[in-house]
Amino acid sequence: MSVPAHLEFFVDATRCIGCQACVQACSECDTHRGESMIHLEYVHRPESVQTVPVVCMHCEQPTCAEVCPADAIKRTGDGVVQSARKPRCIACGNCVMACPFGVPELYADRQLMMKCDMCYDRTSVGKKPMCATVCPSQALFFGTREQVRALRPQSMPTNRFRFGDQTITTRVNVMAPRADAPPAHIDVTAAMDERARPRMVKMRVLQDDGVARVPADVDPFAEVEV
């Protein structure tokens, strides 16, 4: 069995509502029952509650497998990178340090690296991964490109990411805003030093004549109803 080529995994971080339904569902997957291989990360916790689901991106040339000295990590012919094979894994942690997406987890109690395998027992027979099945906002979506284009007309999938001079191509797609020219890749490190533009929003004040006013030059959003 293999994952059908026309079915792909799409992650749309802008739709994540932080409900953690995916985390709970992942723990029920038959291949790693009781352990969740997906987690949520905060974009910038001091200023926002926006979360991003983190799943294995299933790289075409998985760095985790390249640095494994025991050859314990395998990639299937349909592009799914598996957890380390228990008989071979020596729990060295190389894969944990090397993965640019921070996905592999080392379980010291069982001396084994485990990670998201795209619910291979389900996707290899055409079913959706557990996380995509329960996601209420469709931040995690498993289907065809035609379906995702119809659902996200203002976004486009990309599966090329750049970390400095290294470009990584993945089986999992991330939805990005659609532009006139599609980006060749997403530079993951480009926005690390960006800061939100500061602005001051003042509430409209009720004047003597009963009309609430704030000078337009003071607050450009004065006439926006909240």
Side-chain angles (χ1 to χ4, degrees):
M1 291 292 194
S2 62
V3 180
H6 68 287
L7 296 178
E8 300 182 60
F9 202 120
F10 302 89
V11 178
D12 190 343
T14 63
R15 300 184 68 88
C16 181
I17 60 175
C19 67
Q20 300 216 24
C22 57
V23 176
Q24 299 303 317
C26 185
S27 66
E28 299 179 13
C29 183
D30 287 337
T31 55
H32 46 78
R33 186 176 297 276
E35 300 284 359
S36 179
M37 298 292 107
I38 184 174
H39 61 276
L40 301 183
E41 294 285 355
Y42 285 98
V43 176
H44 192 196
R45 190 65 182 92
E47 298 182 5
S48 172
V49 296
Q50 179 63 51
T51 51
V52 177
V54 178
V55 298
C56 181
M57 299 299 290
H58 300 285
C59 307
E60 283 189 1
Q61 294 181 301
T63 306
C64 58
E66 291 177 350
V67 301
C68 179
D71 194 27
I73 305 172
K74 300 296 184 180
R75 178 178 180 270
T76 64
D78 47 12
V80 176
V81 182
Q82 303 286 339
S83 291
R85 296 185 177 184
K86 191 172 183 178
R88 300 188 66 91
C89 182
I90 60 175
C92 64
N94 282 5
C95 54
V96 178
M97 300 297 294
C99 176
F101 299 102
V103 170
E105 295 186 36
L106 184 63
Y107 291 82
D109 59 334
R110 66 205 76 174
Q111 295 290 290
L112 180 67
M113 183 281 281
M114 296 174 63
K115 67 169 192 62
C116 159
D117 60 1
M118 204 189 291
C119 286
Y120 199 67
D121 59 317
R122 296 174 57 85
T123 53
S124 61
V125 293
K127 294 182 179 180
K128 294 182 179 181
M130 292 291 287
C131 56
T133 302
V134 302
C135 182
S137 62
Q138 293 188 331
L140 300 168
F141 181 79
F142 187 76
T144 66
R145 289 197 168 235
E146 290 71 22
Q147 289 174 323
V148 86
R149 287 194 193 102
L151 291 169
R152 310 280 187 272
Q154 301 302 317
S155 301
M156 61 172 297
T158 182
N159 67 337
R160 297 187 68 203
F161 306 88
R162 190 161 69 188
F163 296 84
D165 295 332
Q166 182 183 18
T167 299
I168 296 177
T169 304
T170 64
R171 197 185 196 287
V172 174
N173 301 274
V174 172
M175 301 304 293
R178 185 175 294 278
D180 293 336
H185 58 263
I186 291 180
D187 191 343
V188 179
T189 60
M192 291 179 63
D193 297 324
E194 287 187 3
R195 295 291 181 270
R197 186 179 64 179
R199 68 178 179 87
M200 181 181 295
V201 178
K202 294 184 177 180
M203 300 298 293
R204 289 183 289 177
V205 180
L206 190 64
Q207 304 295 331
D208 294 338
D209 57 3
V211 179
R213 299 190 185 90
V214 169
D217 59 343
V218 174
D219 181 15
F221 300 94
E223 300 303 321
V224 177
E225 296 292 339
V226 179

